[in-house]
Amino acid sequence: MAERSLRGMSIGAKSLESDENVDFAARNDVAYICPKGHRTILPFADGAEVPDEWECRCGAVAHREGEDTEANEIAKPTRTHWDMLLERRSEDELKALLEKRLQMHRDGWIPDYE
Ligand SMILES: [Zn+2]
């Protein structure tokens, strides 16, 4: 019993540590790709001016990774489900739909799966 709780604390402490690293490092990782395919990731301080080009370790000029990359997708997500919804419905329509739906929940028409 004592051993198990000790192990749990150890895991908790480790994950807390890695969370702190993410939270407190105010920086942006910017990826550069050189013509030879080398990928260089540079940490820039938050708010720092990020150059479009960087000299690769092989000496070639690496360019900042383009729009269709994984890194950029995380920074600015492409169309979300919500965006697609808004293209078809106005916000007022959605509010009305939501209200209708919520009322159905309140009336017990739709079971709650939570
Ligand atoms: Zn290179």
Side-chain angles (χ1 to χ4, degrees), residues 34-38 56-60:
C34 96
K36 290 175 186 172
H38 301 134
C56 179
R57 60 181 182 270
C58 71

mmCIF file of all heavy atoms in Angstrom, residues 34-38 56-60, ligand 1:
data_model
loop_
_atom_site.group_PDB
_atom_site.id
_atom_site.type_symbol
_atom_site.label_atom_id
_atom_site.label_comp_id
_atom_site.label_asym_id
_atom_site.label_seq_id
_atom_site.Cartn_x
_atom_site.Cartn_y
_atom_site.Cartn_z
ATOM 1 N N CYS A 34 15.816 23.280 -45.344
ATOM 2 C CA CYS A 34 16.787 23.644 -46.370
ATOM 3 C C CYS A 34 16.519 22.814 -47.624
ATOM 4 O O CYS A 34 15.785 21.837 -47.583
ATOM 5 C CB CYS A 34 18.217 23.472 -45.850
ATOM 6 S SG CYS A 34 18.981 21.913 -46.271
ATOM 7 N N PRO A 35 17.078 23.231 -48.774
ATOM 8 C CA PRO A 35 16.810 22.503 -50.035
ATOM 9 C C PRO A 35 17.184 21.026 -49.962
ATOM 10 O O PRO A 35 16.677 20.219 -50.740
ATOM 11 C CB PRO A 35 17.676 23.236 -51.054
ATOM 12 C CG PRO A 35 17.880 24.599 -50.472
ATOM 13 C CD PRO A 35 17.917 24.402 -48.989
ATOM 14 N N LYS A 36 18.071 20.672 -49.058
ATOM 15 C CA LYS A 36 18.465 19.266 -48.942
ATOM 16 C C LYS A 36 17.560 18.488 -47.991
ATOM 17 O O LYS A 36 17.773 17.307 -47.749
ATOM 18 C CB LYS A 36 19.912 19.172 -48.477
ATOM 19 C CG LYS A 36 20.886 19.629 -49.556
ATOM 20 C CD LYS A 36 22.301 19.649 -49.027
ATOM 21 C CE LYS A 36 23.234 20.250 -50.077
ATOM 22 N NZ LYS A 36 24.589 20.460 -49.536
ATOM 23 N N GLY A 37 16.596 19.163 -47.464
ATOM 24 C CA GLY A 37 15.626 18.473 -46.624
ATOM 25 C C GLY A 37 15.951 18.464 -45.145
ATOM 26 O O GLY A 37 15.257 17.816 -44.369
ATOM 27 N N HIS A 38 17.002 19.180 -44.759
ATOM 28 C CA HIS A 38 17.309 19.238 -43.323
ATOM 29 C C HIS A 38 16.276 20.115 -42.629
ATOM 30 O O HIS A 38 15.909 21.172 -43.144
ATOM 31 C CB HIS A 38 18.701 19.826 -43.087
ATOM 32 C CG HIS A 38 19.795 19.043 -43.748
ATOM 33 N ND1 HIS A 38 20.806 19.638 -44.464
ATOM 34 C CD2 HIS A 38 20.011 17.715 -43.821
ATOM 35 C CE1 HIS A 38 21.613 18.692 -44.948
ATOM 36 N NE2 HIS A 38 21.144 17.516 -44.576
ATOM 37 N N CYS A 56 21.323 26.857 -42.830
ATOM 38 C CA CYS A 56 21.291 25.474 -42.348
ATOM 39 C C CYS A 56 22.686 25.041 -41.905
ATOM 40 O O CYS A 56 23.679 25.651 -42.274
ATOM 41 C CB CYS A 56 20.766 24.562 -43.466
ATOM 42 S SG CYS A 56 20.701 22.821 -42.993
ATOM 43 N N ARG A 57 22.743 23.952 -41.163
ATOM 44 C CA ARG A 57 24.024 23.430 -40.698
ATOM 45 C C ARG A 57 24.900 22.967 -41.856
ATOM 46 O O ARG A 57 26.112 22.866 -41.742
ATOM 47 C CB ARG A 57 23.802 22.285 -39.713
ATOM 48 C CG ARG A 57 23.042 21.103 -40.282
ATOM 49 C CD ARG A 57 22.852 20.035 -39.211
ATOM 50 N NE ARG A 57 22.154 18.866 -39.747
ATOM 51 C CZ ARG A 57 20.835 18.731 -39.742
ATOM 52 N NH1 ARG A 57 20.080 19.681 -39.243
ATOM 53 N NH2 ARG A 57 20.276 17.637 -40.225
ATOM 54 N N CYS A 58 24.276 22.693 -43.012
ATOM 55 C CA CYS A 58 25.055 22.263 -44.173
ATOM 56 C C CYS A 58 25.504 23.475 -44.993
ATOM 57 O O CYS A 58 26.224 23.331 -45.977
ATOM 58 C CB CYS A 58 24.234 21.307 -45.043
ATOM 59 S SG CYS A 58 22.893 22.126 -45.925
ATOM 60 N N GLY A 59 25.075 24.663 -44.617
ATOM 61 C CA GLY A 59 25.505 25.859 -45.312
ATOM 62 C C GLY A 59 24.489 26.416 -46.281
ATOM 63 O O GLY A 59 24.591 27.562 -46.710
ATOM 64 N N ALA A 60 23.483 25.623 -46.631
ATOM 65 C CA ALA A 60 22.442 26.101 -47.548
ATOM 66 C C ALA A 60 21.480 27.013 -46.801
ATOM 67 O O ALA A 60 21.439 27.021 -45.573
ATOM 68 C CB ALA A 60 21.693 24.918 -48.150
HETATM 69 ZN ZN ZN B 1 20.814 21.570 -44.954
#
